[in-house]
Amino acid sequence: RAELQSARDEMQASQEEARSVHEEFQSTNEELQSTNEELTTSKEEMQSMNEELQTLNAELQLKVKDVSRLNDDMKNLLERTEVAIVFLDPALCLRSFTLGSSRVFRFIPGDIGRPITDIASELVYPDLVADATEVLRTITPRETQIAARDNRWFVVRTAPYRTVDNVLDGVVITCIDITASKTLEQDLRNTQRALEHHIEAQDARLRQADKALL
């Protein structure tokens, strides 16, 4: 009887331990299920984020292509245009220039970043820096006709340089050769003066003829 009681007690203890282990297994299983659900949710979120990243990547690639195309357009503009265009930063240091600018300014590739005051120019334009500074201050373009040292003439236009965000970020100086127009203008003036002298001479001869008749 004592052995049976002892065996019964051991069996009850084993059942309680088994029950306790079962409960722990159930708790662990619930935790695993919860973890699995969280992992499933995280996976779905990761998939969603991956799709968003793919979409953003595609948009960025399109923007990169657009920027590259704009850079190519600007490069071709700077290299092909014969108009002298000079881009200066807010400190009036050289940012870039067209190849046509070499007919007005003595630029070399190493001049990028140098102050415009350090670069020789064919223009007889001592107020260039003062006008550029005034444009930066007032954000108002300035335009004037300037002679060159070799008797050429240019219309020099200084205007604000604005970024795509409409932020003032320097000035743009454009020099357009108007020598032909100036030469034609001078020829017309010379012709007008010659005609005026001819008319005055004719008037003088007529007056003399009138006096002779009297």
Side-chain angles (χ1 to χ4, degrees):
R1 192 179 297 111
E3 290 176 358
L4 286 174
Q5 184 62 38
S6 176
R8 188 181 297 109
D9 292 340
E10 290 177 0
M11 186 178 294
Q12 288 179 348
S14 297
Q15 287 178 348
E16 290 177 358
E17 289 178 0
R19 191 180 299 109
S20 176
V21 170
H22 180 68
E23 291 175 354
E24 290 180 359
F25 276 138
Q26 283 184 331
S27 176
T28 302
N29 186 44
E30 291 174 357
E31 291 178 358
L32 288 173
Q33 287 180 344
S34 176
T35 301
N36 186 44
E37 292 174 357
E38 291 177 358
L39 288 173
T40 302
T41 302
S42 297
K43 182 181 179 181
E44 293 174 353
E45 291 177 353
M46 289 293 293
Q47 288 178 340
S48 177
M49 289 179 64
N50 187 43
E51 292 173 357
E52 291 179 0
L53 287 174
Q54 288 179 343
T55 302
L56 287 174
N57 187 45
E59 293 176 355
L60 285 174
Q61 287 181 344
L62 289 175
K63 289 182 179 179
V64 167
K65 288 182 180 179
D66 291 340
V67 171
S68 297
R69 189 178 299 109
L70 287 174
N71 287 335
D72 291 340
D73 292 344
M74 179 60 68
K75 183 175 182 292
N76 279 275
L77 172 64
L78 295 178
E79 292 180 352
R80 301 293 182 267
T81 183
E82 296 182 358
V83 178
I85 306 176
V86 179
F87 301 89
L88 303 180
D89 64 18
L92 300 185
C93 293
L94 184 62
R95 177 179 285 150
S96 60
F97 56 89
T98 62
L99 291 181
S101 302
S102 60
R103 297 185 301 160
V104 182
F105 298 92
R106 300 174 188 174
F107 288 138
I108 60 174
D111 286 336
I112 300 297
R114 291 180 59 193
I116 191 65
T117 52
D118 293 351
I119 299 171
S121 168
E122 298 294 332
L123 300 175
V124 184
Y125 193 4
D127 295 331
L128 174 62
V129 174
D131 286 351
T133 303
E134 187 67 11
V135 168
L136 280 173
R137 187 183 68 84
T138 63
I139 321 180
T140 302
R142 297 175 71 88
E143 184 174 295
T144 183
Q145 295 184 5
I146 300 295
R149 305 182 195 283
D150 56 1
N151 296 322
R152 290 179 299 163
W153 280 86
F154 292 88
V155 168
V156 180
R157 177 179 174 81
T158 307
Y161 178 98
R162 295 182 180 277
T163 66
V164 293
D165 299 323
N166 200 31
V167 176
L168 181 64
D169 194 29
V171 296
V172 182
I173 300 175
T174 306
C175 303
I176 301 175
D177 193 332
I178 58 169
T179 304
S181 299
K182 276 289 185 179
T183 301
L184 179 59
E185 182 182 346
Q186 187 61 43
D187 290 343
L188 290 174
R189 288 179 180 175
N190 292 338
T191 301
Q192 183 178 0
R193 282 197 293 269
L195 287 172
E196 290 174 351
H197 291 160
H198 180 71
I199 292 171
E200 289 176 358
Q202 290 284 356
D203 289 342
R205 284 195 292 270
L206 288 174
R207 286 194 294 269
Q208 290 177 355
D210 290 340
K211 289 180 181 180
L213 291 174
L214 293 175

